[in-house]
Every structure is written in structure tokens, then in C-alpha cells.
Amino acid sequence: MKADAIAPLSRAPLTDPFGRDISYLRISVTDRCDFRCVYCMSEDMTFLPKRDLLTLEEIDRVASAFVARGTRKLRLTGGEPLVRRDVMNLFRSLSRHLTSGALEELTLTTNGSLLDRYAQELADYGVRRINVSLDTLDPDKFRKITRWGDLGKVLGGIEAACKAGMRVKINAVALKGVNEDEIESLMTWSHGLGMDLTLIEVMPLGEIEPGRIDQFLPLSVVRARLMDKFNLVEDPYRTGGPARYVRVKETGGLVGFITPMTHNFCESCNRVRLTCTGTLYMCLGQEDAADLRAPIRASADDAALHRAMDEAISRKPKGHDFVIDRRRAKPAVGRHMSVTGG
Ligand code: SAM
């Protein structure tokens, strides 16, 4: 008798060996992007052939299996999720899990370049809060950081998202000598428009041209500088992600800190990441992964998929060990953030 026939299909919540419940799935729906941010990609990236990608229906199938096992939050990311053709069909179909109450949140991380086109549709499909990545408000610097981006389009996209009724959080990577003098103005601008700001430490993912040691700015330094001018009060606010927040008394807004380098947050990690080819990474900062494309393509029912998910989660590591230092020429993991999905 085949194993499928005798193994009862487990629908138990996914819990890893360290007792952490997996309730958050990030999905990179494409590795392609219309920007080439200097800390994220090299200028001449080679992208995956389209035939290797999961179809949108296959992504829905995997995401729905995770929802059946306790995932409460889905984030679509990339690459740039809004450049994937017909991605709105995926948002529409996943929104059924919001309607049923199985899913708490459906959201995305975007560079904002196509938001003016899609904001209303996203809101219609139940997306309530989005993250927009924006590292500077200076148009020339913006073009230098993104290599190809147009700040005006992104600002228009943010406006469209707010008009559509979505809450926008700005994510900025803190970059030494690039935007470190702008953190305060990014904060007051974001808070002035009712948006929170999250700052991120640059992580050693993938080979890029300039050394990351030159870009790395510890957020402990940024925080100390903000504290010279503002009253920061620890805040219990959580979004289910890794950021830890303070409320700025003077502006009333929140600033989040994502500090994988200076203070890792692995002990409370509830996340796993699916790439657009169906590879599941149990940790952003480790190479170990599981293939979920083979089980879904092997069979129309989900038994093998659930077994592969169980097996993968049983291998979720305790944490990552990112280091940026001058002696280490290689990045901690070889794949770029655009592959795993930020
Ligand atoms: N294209 C979308 C965007 O721009 O938000 C989603 C994908 S992007 C890879 C997600 C986030 O990862 C962005 O906020 C980006 O700034 C951040 N990111 C990319 N590479 C990074 C790195 N090496 N270290 C820290 N953050 C990084």
C-alpha cells in the first residue's frame, strides 16, 4: 500500500523544534525587479527563466496549504511583486482566506513604482497595510541608490495607496555615508503623513559590487543620534514581523528597528520564505532549504506537500549568523535578497 494511503494527513499547526509556531509566510512571486538597488542586486543580474517559476495557481496552492496549517499572515514580495504578470489574480484568489477568517493579513512589500496603477485593486482585495521601501527623498540620490528608479512615481504611488485607504509603512535601509544624514527627515516626513518608518540594517546577502562593510550602519548608532533630538519611548506595537518599535513623542509616530546584525531576533522567529521556484527557506540567513515544487507537481492532492512542509519545518534552524567584517570577503549567503524575498 502506498504511504499516502496510510499516513493520516496532518493538519496540525506547524511548530518547529524550538517550539516556535510558524504563522507567517513570505512569498517571493518573482526574482525580477524594475529597480537595481545597490545593496540588493548587482547591475547585471541574471534572472530565472520563466519556465522555472511556480504558476500563480501553484503559489496559491502552497500558500493555502500553509494557511490550513496555521499561517495567519501572508506577504507577497520579490523582486518587485507588482511586476509579475497578472499578480492581481493571486491577490484576488488569496483574499478568500481573509473572507473566511483563516487569514489575518494579506500584504505586500513593494518599491512603489507601480502602486498608482494597483493601489485601489489591492485595497479591494483586502490589503489593509503595505510596506513601501524608500531610502531617500532626494531624487538624485534615489536614482543613484536604485540605479533606475524615479522618485516621483514612488511618491505618487504612496499617495494612491493612502487614497485607497491602505496604511503605508516606509521601510528604509540605513546606509553609511548615503542616507544617514536623512534619517531624521525621512522620519518627520513619514510621520507627517501618518506613516510609520522602519529602519533596516544592511545584511550580507548575495554578491554586489561595493563591499557591504562600506554600507553597513549599525542602527544602535542611528538610534542614539535620534535620541539626541527626540524622546523615544519603547512601544509594544508588533506587526508579526521582526521590527521592534519606539514612539517618538514629538511626532506621535512609530519608528521600527530591524537589527539582524547588531541584535538578532531569531528567538521569536515565526517566518518562512517561499521563492518563486517553490523553494522554501526556513531562515533568511541560512542556505538550507526544501523543495515544495516537486511534491505539488507530483500529485494533484496535497498529502505529499504537507509532508514536505512538516519535514522542512523540522529543520528550521535556531537562527542565522550574519557577520559583516573586513576579513570575510564572501556574503553570509550567496543568494540575493530579491531571490528569497525581503
Ligand atoms: N521590491 C520590493 C521592495 O523594494 O520593497 C520587495 C523586495 S525587496 C528585496 C524587500 C526589502 O529588502 C526592501 O526594503 C529592500 O530595501 C530590502 N533589502 C534588499 N537587500 C537588502 C540587504 N542586503 N540588506 C537589508 N535589506 C535589504
Side-chain angles (χ1 to χ4, degrees):
M1 193 188 264
K2 275 171 56 187
D4 276 10
I6 48 171
L9 191 56
S10 161
R11 291 278 193 264
L14 291 167
T15 304
D16 79 2
F18 303 95
R20 298 170 297 191
D21 291 329
I22 306 307
S23 55
Y24 185 176
L25 176 67
R26 294 190 183 206
I27 307 172
S28 175
V29 295
T30 174
D31 62 332
R32 287 165 199 256
C33 188
D34 49 350
F35 292 179
R36 291 285 180 279
C37 296
V38 290
Y39 51 81
C40 184
M41 292 187 180
S42 64
E43 194 159 15
D44 56 340
M45 294 287 289
T46 309
F47 293 109
L48 294 161
K50 293 217 170 87
R51 63 175 182 278
D52 286 357
L53 303 192
L54 295 186
T55 65
L56 295 177
E57 292 72 22
E58 287 172 330
I59 294 176
D60 182 291
R61 188 172 155 199
V62 177
S64 300
F66 272 92
V67 171
R69 304 290 302 277
T71 285
R72 303 285 292 155
K73 179 166 175 172
L74 287 178
R75 176 179 301 279
L76 270 47
T77 177
E80 171 49 41
L82 296 182
V83 304
R84 171 98 193 230
R85 184 195 289 248
D86 295 331
V87 72
M88 287 300 126
N89 292 345
L90 181 60
F91 278 100
R92 187 179 53 228
S93 74
L94 291 173
S95 71
R96 73 190 185 281
H97 299 304
L98 291 171
T99 312
S100 76
L103 193 63
E104 226 163 75
E105 185 168 20
L106 174 61
T107 185
L108 82 157
T109 299
T110 174
N111 64 26
S113 67
L114 294 170
L115 258 184
D116 57 342
R117 192 187 305 168
Y118 292 121
Q120 189 55 55
E121 230 179 316
L122 288 167
D124 293 345
Y125 298 143
V127 176
R128 298 277 162 262
R129 298 182 316 137
I130 62 171
N131 291 352
V132 179
S133 304
L134 178 63
D135 303 325
T136 177
L137 291 168
D138 173 330
D140 293 331
K141 210 187 279 182
F142 185 81
R143 186 163 289 273
K144 274 190 196 128
I145 295 176
T146 60
R147 291 194 179 103
W148 300 351
D150 174 354
L151 179 63
K153 283 216 75 175
V154 173
L155 297 181
I158 291 172
E159 203 182 322
C162 294
K163 266 202 193 124
M166 291 186 287
R167 286 210 62 189
V168 176
K169 179 162 74 73
I170 301 297
N171 279 351
V173 177
L175 298 164
K176 189 158 93 184
V178 178
N179 65 357
E180 61 178 303
D181 57 332
E182 259 197 272
I183 304 286
E184 186 185 324
S185 51
L186 267 170
M187 181 186 87
T188 49
W189 171 79
S190 306
H191 290 179
L193 291 171
M195 305 183 293
D196 297 327
L197 170 72
T198 291
L199 301 169
I200 306 170
E201 283 176 339
V202 74
M203 289 172 255
L205 304 173
E207 298 278 6
I208 51 163
E209 285 92 15
R212 276 202 177 81
I213 185 79
D214 300 324
Q215 302 174 337
F216 178 60
L217 175 63
L219 287 185
S220 47
V221 171
V222 175
R223 190 177 172 133
R225 284 181 193 158
L226 286 175
M227 281 168 71
D228 285 342
K229 287 197 153 175
F230 298 91
N231 284 291
L232 310 184
V233 183
E234 299 283 346
D235 198 281
Y237 179 72
R238 295 283 182 273
T239 62
R244 296 294 173 265
Y245 289 89
V246 296
R247 191 164 295 279
V248 183
K249 266 198 172 166
E250 289 78 0
T251 62
L254 290 170
V255 177
F257 295 91
I258 299 184
T259 55
M261 308 304 298
T262 53
H263 178 261
N264 84 36
F265 31 70
C266 304
E267 67 283 354
S268 57
C269 183
N270 56 352
R271 293 173 290 288
V272 288
R273 292 171 151 88
L274 182 74
T275 72
C276 54
T277 55
T279 301
L280 189 76
Y281 284 100
M282 289 72 84
C283 173
L284 177 64
Q286 303 280 0
E287 301 284 7
D288 192 30
D291 176 22
L292 300 186
R293 188 176 57 184
I296 57 171
R297 291 198 174 161
S299 156
D301 88 47
D302 286 345
L305 171 61
H306 281 282
R307 274 198 304 278
M309 287 160 53
D310 281 324
E311 193 277 327
I313 301 305
S314 77
R315 284 191 277 131
K316 184 169 164 66
K318 196 166 179 196
H320 60 68
D321 27 48
F322 288 139
V323 184
I324 293 182
D325 73 26
R326 293 194 184 280
R327 283 157 300 175
R328 200 185 274 230
K330 287 249 167 243
V333 293
R335 60 189 191 277
H336 292 88
M337 186 74 128
S338 52
V339 173
T340 331

